[in-house]
């Protein structure tokens, strides 16, 4: 009989990992993580893992260096305990935005992350909505790239009766592909906002391709970081006569001024997932968190 798998959680993903383990009828494995006085990280796997499949869930969210290093130490510790297989689960992939060189002298950090995951001991990896599919190519171990768009599709199916009055708005060219998923599923029009970035973390949108006047809106994006994209998109479509606005964003990075910006923007609902833990102080009244735990649990189940 195959040995029962072990689910380990890194410190960035406790609540998600609990949900995943409980969906699988398991408890989380025992792992000790602490800091030395000089702030280096110490990891000790207390769980028997020899001959077992081990799944380590750790989001690469902020503080990315801390969380990612903790994952690497965990993988390194695990491989010294002779498990049958080590699967690194990164619900949110760190250093995702530099997946190519824009200027000479830059690093391709997304590739380095994939290399380190393999080098330190992972036999496989599972991720949720990588910022760019280019990152898939950097994995030299099997990668399962899950998509969380269906969790939002299901939300709209269950909760919105007048979905035919909606338009889906792609807040930049990179969002056209997944915005089409909503447009096709609900048979609603697509509008596109050509976004430019004059500098890092600055956003400009000068025109709308499509019609949003008098329409309810879904804006789907893979992440909200500083929320510059979202508030610029919202102000552009509001000026063009859009009605109620629903955001559907997978990764709630929510850095810098994001929370203040979102709080002050005319948004009916902000749908996010739990790929990144949302601390209570960031939870706005119009936010709803939809868990990706069922998605991850199913992926684990199908690999057993
Ligand atoms: C861009 O390629 C992404 O899909 C997001 O639009 C972007 O990362 C959001 O960043 P911010 O919230 O800082 O505008």
């Amino acid at each position: 009989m195959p040995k029962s798998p072990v689910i380990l959680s890194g410190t960035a993903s406790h609540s998600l990992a609990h949900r995943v383990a409980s969906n699988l009828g398991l408890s989380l494995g025992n792992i000790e993580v602490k800091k030395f006085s000089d702030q280096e990280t110490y990891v000790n796997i207390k769980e028997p893992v020899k001959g077992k499949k081990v799944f380590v869930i750790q989001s690469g969210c902020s503080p990315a260096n801390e969380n990612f290093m903790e994952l690497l130490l965990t993988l390194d510790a695990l491989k010294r305990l002779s498990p049958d297989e080590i699967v690194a689960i990164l619900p949110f992939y760190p250093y995702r935005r530099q997946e190519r060189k824009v200027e000479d002298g830059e690093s391709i950090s997304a590739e380095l992350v994939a290399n380190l995951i393999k080098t330190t001991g992972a036999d496989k990896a599972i991720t949720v909505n990588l910022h760019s599919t280019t990152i898939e190519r950097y994995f030299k171990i099997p990668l399962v790239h899950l998509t969380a768009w269906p969790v939002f599709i299901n939300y709209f199916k269950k909760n919105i009766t007048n979905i035919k009055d909606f338009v889906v708005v792609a807040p930049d060219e990179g969002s056209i592909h997944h915005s089409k998923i909503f447009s096709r599923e609900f048979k609603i029009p697509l509008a596109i906002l050509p976004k430019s970035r004059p500098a890092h973390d600055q956003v400009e949108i000068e025109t709308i391709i499509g019609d949003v006047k008098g329409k309810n809106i879904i804006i789907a994006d893979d992440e909200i970081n500083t929320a510059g994209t979202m508030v610029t998109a919202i102000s552009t479509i509001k000026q063009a006569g859009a009605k109620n606005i629903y955001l559907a964003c997978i990764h709630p990075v929510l850095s810098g001024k994001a929370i203040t910006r979102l709080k002050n923007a005319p948004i009916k609902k902000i749908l996010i997932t739990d790929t990144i833990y949302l601390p209570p102080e960031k939870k706005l009244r119009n936010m709803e968190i939809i868990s990706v735990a069922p998605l991850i649990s199913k992926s684990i189940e199908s690999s057993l």
Side-chain angles (χ1 to χ4, degrees):
M1 207 169 106
K3 292 181 181 166
S4 173
V6 173
I7 314 288
L8 294 177
S9 172
T11 52
S13 295
H14 273 312
S15 23
L16 174 60
H18 265 293
R19 281 185 210 116
V20 170
S22 124
N23 285 348
L24 295 164
L26 300 167
S27 307
L28 286 176
N30 194 1
I31 171 172
E32 181 186 10
V33 180
K34 61 183 187 184
K35 291 282 184 195
F36 289 106
S37 105
D38 62 0
Q39 295 309 298
E40 285 187 354
T41 303
Y42 170 86
V43 171
N44 191 334
I45 317 283
K46 306 278 190 181
E47 190 73 23
V49 295
K50 191 168 180 186
K52 296 183 183 178
K53 285 197 179 203
V54 187
F55 297 84
V56 187
I57 305 178
Q58 171 77 329
S59 196
C61 55
S62 176
N65 295 350
E66 294 295 314
N67 290 332
F68 186 54
M69 189 64 192
E70 182 190 313
L71 172 67
L72 297 181
L73 292 168
T74 307
L75 297 173
D76 181 67
L78 273 171
K79 81 173 174 214
R80 297 166 199 282
L81 295 170
S82 310
D84 172 45
E85 187 175 59
I86 304 172
V87 183
I89 303 182
L90 293 95
F92 176 70
Y93 191 84
Y95 288 97
R96 70 227 171 267
R97 282 184 304 181
Q98 269 183 267
E99 88 285 4
R100 66 195 161 91
K101 270 172 52 166
V102 177
E103 287 174 27
D104 266 352
E106 293 178 342
S107 150
I108 303 183
S109 56
E111 181 176 26
L112 176 66
V113 166
N115 287 339
L116 288 169
I117 290 168
K118 175 178 184 283
T119 310
T120 45
D123 301 299
K124 281 186 187 166
I126 298 177
T127 60
V128 181
N129 290 82
L130 289 166
H131 190 58
S132 157
T133 49
T134 306
I135 301 172
E136 290 174 357
R137 297 205 295 268
Y138 298 144
F139 275 86
K140 305 293 180 256
I141 51 175
L143 169 73
V144 178
H145 183 184
L146 300 173
T147 175
W149 297 118
V151 306
F152 295 133
I153 299 274
N154 289 340
Y155 174 91
F156 286 110
K157 279 187 181 165
K158 277 192 199 139
N159 296 285
I160 305 292
T161 48
N162 61 335
I163 196 77
K164 295 287 172 219
D165 300 336
F166 278 66
V167 168
V168 58
V169 170
D172 54 28
E173 279 163 20
S175 302
I176 295 174
H177 181 73
H178 57 248
S179 298
K180 280 186 179 166
I181 300 174
F182 290 81
S183 163
R184 271 197 297 267
E185 178 69 38
F186 296 120
K187 301 188 174 44
I188 56 175
L190 169 70
I192 299 164
L193 305 178
K195 173 177 96 179
S196 60
R197 283 201 185 270
H200 282 173
D201 292 332
Q202 281 182 29
V203 175
E204 271 179 17
I205 298 172
E206 283 172 358
T207 182
I208 306 176
I209 304 169
D211 190 10
V212 295
K213 191 165 181 199
K215 293 289 188 179
N216 294 318
I217 305 290
I218 299 171
I219 309 182
D221 209 348
D222 62 327
E223 65 175 50
I224 310 183
N225 186 357
T226 65
T229 301
M230 281 304 164
V231 292
T232 312
I234 289 165
S235 123
T236 309
I237 59 174
K238 270 288 178 192
Q239 281 171 37
K243 287 204 312 198
N244 294 328
I245 299 176
Y246 288 71
L247 306 188
C249 297
I250 293 168
H251 306 297
V253 181
L254 302 176
S255 74
K257 296 181 187 153
I259 291 300
T260 315
R261 284 173 167 166
L262 293 172
K263 201 191 259 174
N264 296 326
I267 308 168
K268 176 92 174 161
K269 199 63 125 182
I270 304 172
L271 304 173
I272 52 175
T273 79
D274 56 357
T275 56
I276 296 175
Y277 170 72
L278 189 76
E281 66 276 13
K282 285 192 175 175
K283 176 103 171 47
L284 298 177
R285 278 198 311 195
N286 57 351
M287 268 181 188
E288 200 158 324
I289 305 170
I290 311 177
S291 183
V292 293
L295 199 66
I296 294 177
S297 322
K298 270 191 208 139
S299 179
I300 292 177
E301 244 167 0
S302 66
S303 71
L304 295 177

